[in-house]
Structure formats: C-alpha cells, structure tokens
Amino acid sequence: MRLLASLLDGAARPSFSKLVLVFSASGGGLVAYADARSDPAPDELSQVPPKKKVLVLGTGWAGTTFLRNVDSSMYDVQVISPRNYFAFTPLLPSVTCGTVEPRSIVEPIRRIIKNKGGEIKFWEAECLKIDPEKKQVLCQTDIGTNFEGNGEFVVNYDYLVIAVGAKEVEDAQKIRRSVINCFEKATLPYLDEEERARILHFVVIGGGPSGVEFAAELHDFVTEDLAKLYPTVQNLVNITVLETAEHILTMFDKRITEFAEKKFQRDGIDLKTGFKVVKVSDKAITTENVSRGETSIPYGMAVWSAGIGPRPVILDFMRKIGQGNRRAVATDEWLRVRGCDGVYAVGDCATMSQRKVMEDILEIFRLADKDNSGTLTVKEIKDALEDIYIRYPQVELYLKTKQMKDILDLIKASKGDVKKEDVEITIEEFKNALADVDSQVKNLPATAQVAAQQGNYLARCFNKMNDSEEKPEGPRRIREPGRHRFRPFRYRHLGQFAPLGGEQAAAQLPGDWISIGRSTQWLWYSVYATKQVSWRTRALVVSDWTRRFIFGRDSSGI
C-alpha cells in the first residue's frame, strides 16, 4: 500500500494517460501495476516555438494558389475574405451572357482547404483596415455580430499576404441582368424609336482582351438568342467598343489584331479607336478624338473594361505606407511590399517594381571588378553575368530583342573585339553598353496567369524560408555582402487567348506561335476546361457549353 500511496501522492504524482491496477491476494500481498504515459513537462513545451501566423486576405487566383501550395504544417495559416469561394475569373465574360452559369465556375474555399489537408482557418469577413506597425488587421463580417453588435474583430499576424482581387462573380451577374433589362425596357409601348435605340446601345470601354471578349459574347447572345425573343427591336441593337489606342488587342501580335478588327467590322460591331473617354453621365458618354474633337455618345448600358482601381482598404493602406499616389501596391521583385516588414502583395492589387540597371550601375561595376583595378576584363564580366541576368531580367530580354548572344555583343560597338582576355572596359563604356536595357522594364498585366504564378512563387518561398537562411539560392547582393535568400519572381508568359465570337478565337503562344479560327476556339474550350480547380466545376462548365449548343443561352432576368 505504501507503493500505491506514493504513486498517488499529489506532491509527486505524474500525469497519467492510463492507469491499470492489478490486485492479487496470493500470499496476503498486494501488487500494483501502472501503465502510464507522461505528458510533456512544462519546460519541454516551452522549447517548442509557436508557429508563425500567416494571414491571407482574399480567395482569388493569387490567394487560392498560395493556399494550395504553402506547407500549412509549418505555419498557422488563416484566411479572411468576404467571399467563401474561388471564382474562375477568365470565364466571367461567358457568365455575363449566360453561356456559363455563375455557380459552374466557383469552388467553395473550405472544400479546397479540406482537399489540401492541414490546419487552415477561414473566416468570411471583409478587411477594413491594415495596421502594418501593430501587425494586425481590422475585419467586419455581415453574417454575425460580436458583443458590440457591429461584427468587427481584430486579427494579428506575423506575415501578411494581401491578395485582394478586383473581379467578382456578382459583377458579371449584374451585367447579365442589365442586358436583359435593356431589352425588356426597349419593348415598352410608350417609348419612341430614338429612345429604344439609345437603350439598346451597348458601349464597351476598353479594347483589351476582357472588353473584346465581352463584346464578342454579347454579339453572339444578341444574334443567336435575344433576336428570336425580341424580334421587334432586334434591328435597333448597336454594340460599340471604345479604345484610346489606335488598335484593339495591342498586347497581341499584329496578325491577331488585324483579324479581330476585320471580324468585328463584318459582325457589325462599331470599333472607335483613338477615342478617349473623358466623362460618363447616366445617358451619354463624352469622348475626345484628335480629328473629331469632343463627341457625345448616347447609350443604354456601358461596361468599363479599361483597367481596375484599388479597393478602399488598399487605398487606405497605401496612404499609411507612403504610396498614396499609386494605383496599386508597389512591391519589390520578391513580392514584398516596399517599406513594410513581413507584408507581401500579389495579384490585381499589386504591381512589381523591377529594379533598374542604371540605378545600380556603379555597384554592379564594383561587384564585378574583383581586383579593384577600375576596369573590367572579359572574364570578370562573364563571371558576373549569371547574377546580373537573375537580378535584372531586362538585360536578357533586351539581348533577345536585339538578337545578341550576351553583354559582350553590346560592348562590341564601342570596343571592337572584346573576346580577347586582355581587353578592359571602363565604367563609362559599361554605362554606355547598358544604357538602353531598362527600356524592357514593363509592368505585369492584371491577369489570372500572373496572379497564379505569384501565389505559387510566394508559397515556395514560405516553404523554403528556414532552409534559405543557411543556403540562400538568390543572386549576390549589390549593396550588401552575401546573397539574396531567393531568386526574384520571374513571370513566365504561357500564352493568351482572345475569343472573338462566332466560334472563332485567336491564340498567341510562346515561340511566336499564332493560331486563329474555329480550331483555336476548340483549343480554348479544352484549355479552360482543364484549368478548372476541381472535377466538379470542370463537369459543370462542360455541361453548360453543351447546353448552350443544344438549347441556347438562358435569357431569364435572374
């Protein structure tokens, strides 16, 4: 009994997860057996560092791609978004005209988290304020209230990933309802012919991929479906595309631009290039043109597709960090928000500022000049090339546009034969050789492709955060000793499509591969079906396309 008493003595008692007592009366003795597993001692628990909190704002392409790829066992990952789903935004133009139903392109974010595995917390709420100094965000939810009754709560973070997008499924649904309402309104008996024509004038502001695709979808919707349902007003429908530049689809090859413009002219879509929108009222759009001056265009419905603006929370955040005069959050090549510790921005809300060569030209020269001779030999230039290409990708792009092999080709013009090892280059000659390479620095477009690659890159950086401290993989630092922990983000363009209506599309893929026509439209179908995030959405999208082929588009005003 003394043994049992000592085991159960409160002063020396361990914490047992299982205790089994076996009594035996043999020989008048008592035997006690304990099978126990002790919990870790407090000092052992204190040795395990808590996980860093990673807070993700948004469930768009960048945020969702980050969540699907980040190692959630390494971090306490939390997600906040007013939308509890991910939307396949490239198909939003199809939603505006009923070609695809909105629920077919959305996937619940909780299902994505569940399929990934790991502990990831999600809260459906909207971020109101970001405080980078206190490292916390103020949020508000509409689906519940706190003790104060306003639904507000504060979340702290160690790392913040701002992935607030700009395109919403609700916007596509509003456009769809507005199109139907315009046709219903135009058939009312008390309107005159001029007013009916104004109501059925649809104006698309912006001749980029989204604006062109919407105009093409709308034209197909009108000619294939609505003309049969509204025969009395079908001849009054007019679709106009306004573009500031002299051509639409300026980011595409000229062959695609020319084909698209000719097809729109054949379809009766009015292209007004070289027109700048200066004012929009409730019934008219005022434009400026070099030859025509100021013109007023009456309309019934206008769709803005000429760029996106920041959300209020992003504007407030930019003012706090000294970026109030920008249209998007400025980040460096590692997607870190400039002037903030532990804050990253990806997707439509951010723009990556590529460091320019001429800003660092003296430091680059000094770094390459290993013997401090004041000149660079061919060998010293070659030794520094890899780090220069990684840190400043515009150098390699410039060489490709000029069909040059390497930097040495740039120097030949002023130095002659630079392949000899004894040739030396001064700082002024080095400056002259690289003077124009920064012309290749361009802002990345606000597309799903860019956002997805940024989310994937950032997740990879987080996954290798600990290893990179001891084994950095980035280029040599210019102003400090050592190397960068990671390689800078490099966008890899995988090509782009431009659906042009009438079961025709254009595609520009890497390697200057151009495809135009009906076969390209079927390629578009296959690629967009494959890129869906789940088999459920893949099946729904394909079934919507099949339904449209058989029964046409739904014109209900729901």
Side-chain angles (χ1 to χ4, degrees):
M1 294 298 292
R2 285 196 300 270
L3 174 60
L4 180 61
S6 65
L7 286 172
L8 302 180
D9 185 1
R13 178 172 46 202
S15 175
F16 294 108
S17 60
K18 181 166 68 174
L19 177 64
V20 180
L21 298 180
V22 181
F23 295 93
S24 174
S26 175
L30 178 65
V31 177
Y33 167 72
D35 180 11
R37 182 176 67 250
S38 298
D39 291 334
D43 57 342
E44 294 177 355
L45 288 173
S46 62
Q47 295 177 0
V48 180
K51 293 181 180 179
K52 295 284 188 179
K53 290 184 179 179
V54 179
L55 179 60
V56 182
L57 301 180
T59 53
W61 277 96
T64 302
T65 306
F66 175 82
L67 292 174
R68 295 178 68 183
N69 291 278
V70 70
D71 186 353
S72 54
S73 66
M74 296 175 57
Y75 302 95
D76 179 9
V77 183
Q78 303 170 353
V79 191
I80 294 176
S81 173
R83 311 284 179 262
N84 70 344
Y85 55 80
F86 163 79
F88 192 85
T89 53
L91 283 178
L92 284 181
S94 298
V95 174
T96 61
C97 298
T99 306
V100 173
E101 291 301 318
R103 287 193 176 274
S104 299
I105 64 169
V106 298
E107 183 74 6
I109 195 65
R110 291 186 181 275
R111 180 176 294 172
I112 294 175
I113 293 173
K114 179 182 177 182
N115 292 339
K116 171 186 170 53
E119 294 294 329
I120 298 179
K121 305 179 184 70
F122 171 77
W123 296 299
E124 184 177 332
E126 184 174 3
C127 177
L128 301 179
K129 286 185 179 181
I130 300 173
D131 191 336
E133 294 183 358
K134 295 181 179 179
K135 289 198 169 186
Q136 59 183 211
V137 298
L138 174 65
C139 305
Q140 185 178 45
T141 178
D142 293 332
I143 58 177
T145 58
N146 56 10
F147 292 112
E148 286 75 22
N150 56 13
E152 293 184 356
F153 59 95
V154 174
V155 180
N156 298 316
Y157 66 83
D158 294 302
Y159 299 109
L160 177 65
V161 179
I162 304 175
V164 181
K167 302 169 186 176
E168 300 286 357
V169 174
E170 289 86 349
D171 296 330
Q173 291 176 299
K174 290 178 182 177
I175 293 174
R176 180 176 173 176
R177 286 193 292 268
S178 296
V179 171
I180 300 302
N181 289 341
C182 285
F183 275 85
E184 292 293 346
K185 187 176 180 180
T187 59
L188 293 175
Y190 56 83
L191 298 177
D192 57 25
E193 200 79 351
E194 182 180 354
E195 182 65 8
R196 297 181 201 273
R198 182 193 67 80
I199 293 172
L200 292 178
H201 186 191
F202 301 93
V203 179
V204 182
I205 304 170
S210 296
V212 168
E213 183 175 353
F214 170 70
E217 284 275 0
L218 180 60
H219 175 267
D220 288 353
F221 189 25
V222 170
T223 57
E224 296 175 6
D225 302 281
L226 297 181
K228 302 173 184 177
L229 301 176
Y230 303 89
T232 58
V233 296
Q234 61 173 319
N235 295 328
L236 300 176
V237 179
N238 186 19
I239 301 174
T240 299
V241 177
L242 298 177
E243 170 56 41
T244 304
E246 294 303 318
H247 297 279
I248 62 174
L249 299 177
T250 54
M251 67 292 300
F252 282 84
D253 186 273
K254 291 182 179 180
R255 290 168 286 180
I256 293 178
T257 298
E258 292 174 359
F259 180 86
E261 291 177 347
K262 290 179 180 178
K263 185 181 186 306
F264 273 22
Q265 291 172 359
R266 291 195 303 269
D267 292 341
I269 298 175
D270 186 14
L271 286 178
K272 292 185 180 296
T273 57
F275 283 79
K276 180 182 178 181
V277 176
V278 294
K279 183 181 178 181
V280 178
S281 65
D282 58 343
K283 290 186 178 182
I285 297 174
T286 304
T287 64
E288 283 185 354
N289 180 264
V290 176
S291 58
R292 299 185 184 182
E294 195 169 281
T295 307
S296 180
I297 302 174
Y299 75 95
M301 175 181 168
V303 176
W304 183 273
S305 184
I308 55 177
R311 294 181 182 273
V313 63
I314 301 300
L315 277 175
D316 178 70
F317 172 67
M318 289 193 295
R319 294 191 196 101
K320 288 182 179 178
I321 62 176
Q323 296 186 15
N325 59 342
R326 302 183 62 89
R327 292 178 58 88
V329 180
T331 72
D332 62 15
E333 299 91 327
W334 290 269
L335 308 183
R336 300 172 299 193
V337 176
R338 296 188 179 276
C340 292
D341 177 40
V343 182
Y344 302 81
V346 288
D348 294 349
C349 68
T351 179
M352 191 184 78
S353 301
Q354 173 62 50
R355 187 78 178 179
K356 295 185 178 180
V357 172
M358 297 311 293
E359 294 176 357
D360 301 330
I361 192 69
L362 295 177
E363 286 76 13
I364 296 172
F365 188 91
R366 176 188 55 80
L367 189 67
D369 186 14
K370 295 180 180 179
D371 59 2
N372 297 321
S373 63
T375 59
L376 295 182
T377 65
V378 173
K379 184 178 185 306
E380 285 176 328
I381 295 176
K382 288 182 176 179
D383 290 342
L385 276 184
E386 183 179 358
D387 288 315
I388 292 175
Y389 286 161
I390 295 174
R391 185 67 181 84
Y392 307 96
Q394 64 265 37
V395 175
E396 200 168 8
L397 289 174
Y398 184 81
L399 293 174
K400 288 182 179 179
T401 58
K402 297 296 182 179
Q403 297 181 344
M404 295 180 178
K405 184 179 179 181
D406 53 34
I407 288 180
L408 300 178
D409 289 341
L410 285 176
I411 304 172
K412 279 183 179 181
S414 61
K415 202 62 183 173
D417 188 2
V418 295
K419 293 184 178 179
K420 297 178 181 179
E421 294 298 329
D422 59 346
V423 173
E424 295 184 350
I425 301 164
T426 65
I427 179 63
E428 291 302 323
E429 292 169 336
F430 194 62
K431 284 182 179 179
N432 292 335
L434 300 176
D436 297 327
V437 297
D438 288 327
S439 62
Q440 294 298 312
V441 175
K442 296 180 176 65
N443 290 330
L444 296 177
T447 62
Q449 190 176 159
V450 172
Q453 290 187 29
Q454 288 180 336
N456 188 45
Y457 165 84
L458 193 58
R460 177 181 173 276
C461 291
F462 271 79
N463 295 342
K464 302 183 70 174
M465 191 82 74
N466 296 331
D467 296 338
S468 65
E469 291 288 348
E470 299 180 359
K471 299 178 181 180
E473 60 182 30
R476 281 183 291 179
R477 296 181 183 272
I478 300 297
R479 290 179 171 80
E480 301 174 7
R483 308 186 75 88
H484 290 279
R485 287 187 298 173
F486 306 104
R487 286 173 170 255
F489 172 74
R490 290 283 294 271
Y491 169 61
R492 183 186 175 192
H493 187 60
L494 302 177
Q496 54 188 343
F497 286 92
L500 302 174
E503 292 303 308
Q504 296 191 62
Q508 183 173 342
L509 303 179
D512 196 29
W513 190 78
I514 304 297
S515 177
I516 303 173
R518 295 184 180 276
S519 60
T520 309
Q521 179 68 31
W522 285 101
L523 177 62
W524 180 86
Y525 284 135
S526 61
V527 169
Y528 274 38
T530 304
K531 291 295 183 179
Q532 297 297 313
V533 296
S534 70
W535 282 102
R536 183 188 70 87
T537 56
R538 193 170 293 125
L540 289 173
V541 167
V542 172
S543 66
D544 284 347
W545 287 335
T546 305
R547 170 189 52 78
R548 196 268 297 176
F549 274 114
I550 300 175
F551 303 107
R553 300 169 182 81
D554 180 23
S555 59
S556 303
I558 299 177

